[in-house]
Structures are given as C-alpha cells and as structure tokens.
Amino acid sequence: MAPRASALSCCCCCFFFILTSVASAQLSSTFYRFSCPSALPTIWTEVIRALATDSRIGASLLRLHFHDCFVQGCDGSVLLDDTPTFTGEKSAIPNRGSLRGFDVVDRIKAQLEIVCPQTVSCADILAVVARDSVVALGGPAWTVLLGRRDSTTASLSTANSDLPSPFSNLNDLISAFAKKGLSTSDMVALSGAHTIGDARCTNFRTRIYNETNIDSSFATALQANCPFSGGDNNLAPLDTSTPTIFDNFYYNNLVNKEGLLHSDQQLFNGGSTDSQVSSYTTNSAQFFRDFTTAIVKMGNISPLTGSSGEIRTNCRKIN
C-alpha cells in the first residue's frame, strides 16, 4: 500500500474509532432492547407493587434519582452502604434519616440479576423507577435514556455541599442547579416533584413558627403536629391538597403562601421565578412538559458509560 493511502487508511480508522467511542458514550432509550428486554416491565411491576403497600414510596424513589444525580452525576453512588473502610452518601446531612426506597431497589435488582445477570445498572434502575413512580401517581410519562454504569466511589462531602437545602434562598437554589448544568426554569419545574411526598418537622419548623410569608391558618394547622421543640420526625405532606397525586397543585400552594419548606416558598416570593410558578397554576400541561424535559436533562448529568464504572450485582456495594 502506498504511504499516502496507508496514512489515509489510518486516519479513517482513527476517525471511525472516535465516532464509535463517542456513540458508545451516549445514553439510549433502547439500550436493553436485546440484552434485557424484560428490564422495564420488571421494574414497572415492582414499583406498582411497592405503591400498593406504601403510598409514599413513589416520592421516595423519585427523590433517590435526584439525590443520586446531584452527587458525582447519575451513577448509583447514593445507594452504596457504609463499610468499615468506605463512607458513602447515606449519612450526609441531606440524606440521613430521610432517604427511603432502598429495599424496593434491592428487590428490583435481585429480580434483574436472575433474568439478566450483570446487565442492568443500579443507576439506570433509579432513572426508571423515578419515571414509573410519577406515571403511576398520575403524572406525565417520558422516555428514559439508559446505558449508565455504576460508580465504585461515593462522596459524602459532595452530598453535603451540592444537594440543595430546605432552608435555601432563591439565589442558593439557582446556583445549586446551575452548578449541575440546569437552568432556573429547570429548577422551578423539577421543584414540582414536591407535589408528592412528605417532609419532616425538623425541616419546616423554622418556617411555620418564624416566617411571615406563610398563610397563618396553614402555619397554625402544621404547628399541631410539629411542636416548637420535639417531634423532629413528625411528617407533613409537601402538597396538602393532593399529596399522593402528581399534579400542579404544588404551585397553587405557593401562590397561596402554603409552601411547606422555606425553599419551596422562595419560588414565589416576589422574585424572578414568580411568573413561571403562576403560569403552572393554570397550565398543568406546560408544567408536565417542562418537568419531563428537565428530568431527562438531569438524568444526563455526568453518567458513567462504556467501560467506566461497573454493573453492580448488589446496589449497596461495589463488586
């Protein structure tokens, strides 16, 4: 082969390798079509079974996906248990005593390891259970992109620093989401996840006793179950109107000064996000569209793909 032709051939091969490498790093809606066609039906069945016995679990599973993606990207790191030589993220301040749903993920993973051993990642399970929970509770469907692999590391410090606090002000929220490549509009839409689920008294006590941008009757009613001292783990719904239905009522609550958390009410408090909140109160279809767009975007934060990471056989520990 002539030198020029040989060089051209090498360039073509290198270019093809680059293209295939880039392609392999992309998430795909059909990632398990051939390697594990029963993956999505298996996950859906288990989510429905879990919701039948625990109406709160859908919100918990959705929250797991969020807390995973905001720390090291969507890599399943939030699921790792502490060991004598390894500290995970479960004991971080935003996670300790509040994250739930690990047992549901365990059951799903155990079933998938029977039908498709070492094929479906824990990170992908979190992305799918988030979607399935929203759909099962009356919310919108979206196409979940798949192909994430699982991290062999976790970061307690990043979980403590990067997960938004229930005491955050608007600028703090905007900055926390921007750090992950999410816009202010994405942040407002994703906050609508608080249309389901509960919060602990310790996270809203200061608001109901000390803040002024809160409906007085709403605050008084909450004080009955969240005393000035004690009862830290007593629960209240984030959306008192329809706490187990994924709808736009969360935003109506904000307009009525009935946001449970300080960070919730910051979205409608005379600031730059007021108009978006107002628009969602009368246009649930727009909220659904924006939410699905934002959560797909969130699910694409720094995923491990290709040969990075691993496929854990047990979501609680590395292989």
Side-chain angles (χ1 to χ4, degrees):
M1 181 182 294
R4 183 178 178 182
S6 177
L8 180 60
S9 176
C10 288
C11 287
C12 288
C13 287
C14 290
F15 182 67
F16 178 76
F17 176 77
I18 291 170
L19 284 180
T20 54
S21 296
V22 171
S24 69
Q26 301 303 308
L27 302 182
S28 166
S29 62
T30 59
F31 190 81
Y32 298 113
R33 175 177 291 177
F34 301 111
S35 61
C36 190
S38 61
L40 298 185
T42 298
I43 296 172
W44 169 258
T45 298
E46 196 56 50
V47 168
I48 295 302
R49 182 178 291 118
L51 281 167
T53 58
D54 181 359
S55 61
R56 294 176 53 213
I57 201 64
S60 298
L61 293 172
L62 176 58
R63 187 166 179 247
L64 277 179
H65 182 41
F66 175 83
H67 280 232
D68 183 38
C69 290
F70 261 58
V71 183
Q72 297 191 165
C74 308
D75 62 358
S77 60
V78 73
L79 300 173
L80 291 170
D81 283 343
D82 291 351
T83 71
T85 58
F86 176 88
T87 301
E89 298 163 17
K90 291 179 179 179
S91 57
I93 293 171
N95 296 336
R96 187 170 58 236
S98 66
L99 285 186
R100 304 170 67 244
F102 299 111
D103 55 334
V104 178
V105 176
D106 290 341
R107 290 197 295 271
I108 292 170
K109 183 59 176 174
Q111 292 182 41
L112 292 175
E113 283 301 304
I114 294 172
V115 295
C116 312
Q118 287 189 283
T119 302
V120 181
S121 70
C122 302
D124 275 349
I125 291 173
L126 290 182
V128 178
V129 297
R131 189 272 310 275
D132 288 357
S133 295
V134 169
V135 171
L137 295 174
W142 64 91
T143 300
V144 180
L145 301 179
L146 302 165
R148 301 168 190 80
R149 288 168 64 83
D150 297 322
S151 173
T152 57
T153 64
S155 178
L156 178 68
S157 60
T158 304
N160 279 321
S161 64
D162 287 13
L163 286 166
S165 162
F167 309 106
S168 296
N169 292 323
L170 182 59
N171 287 339
D172 299 327
L173 293 169
I174 291 172
S175 296
F177 279 73
K179 187 176 181 179
K180 305 302 175 182
L182 298 168
S183 68
T184 300
S185 177
D186 293 329
M187 183 269 291
V188 176
L190 286 170
S191 296
H194 283 183
T195 190
I196 54 175
D198 298 326
R200 294 184 297 154
C201 169
T202 188
N203 289 325
F204 61 84
R205 176 184 286 116
T206 299
R207 172 157 166 73
I208 65 175
Y209 284 100
N210 299 328
E211 297 187 5
T212 57
N213 60 342
I214 186 170
D215 178 82
S216 58
S217 298
F218 176 67
T220 300
L222 288 167
Q223 288 169 7
N225 190 47
C226 181
F228 192 78
S229 62
D232 284 1
N233 292 321
N234 292 353
L235 300 174
L238 289 157
D239 170 9
T240 57
S241 302
T242 54
T244 59
I245 300 175
F246 195 98
D247 54 24
N248 64 332
F249 276 43
Y250 165 79
Y251 299 102
N252 296 71
N253 297 336
L254 300 185
V255 170
N256 293 328
K257 296 185 178 180
E258 294 180 353
L260 182 63
L261 303 177
H262 174 84
S263 57
D264 287 328
Q265 196 60 55
Q266 286 294 295
L267 303 185
F268 191 86
N269 194 41
S272 61
T273 56
D274 282 15
S275 60
Q276 187 176 349
V277 169
S278 294
S279 71
Y280 288 160
T281 65
T282 57
N283 193 340
S284 60
Q286 185 62 52
F287 161 50
F288 281 8
R289 284 193 295 270
D290 291 350
F291 179 84
T292 57
T293 297
I295 200 166
V296 170
K297 188 174 176 182
M298 185 189 80
N300 202 36
I301 297 175
S302 304
L304 298 174
T305 58
S307 59
S308 300
E310 64 181 18
I311 304 297
R312 287 188 221 134
T313 57
N314 180 335
C315 291
R316 293 177 179 266
K317 61 183 182 180
I318 60 175
N319 295 338

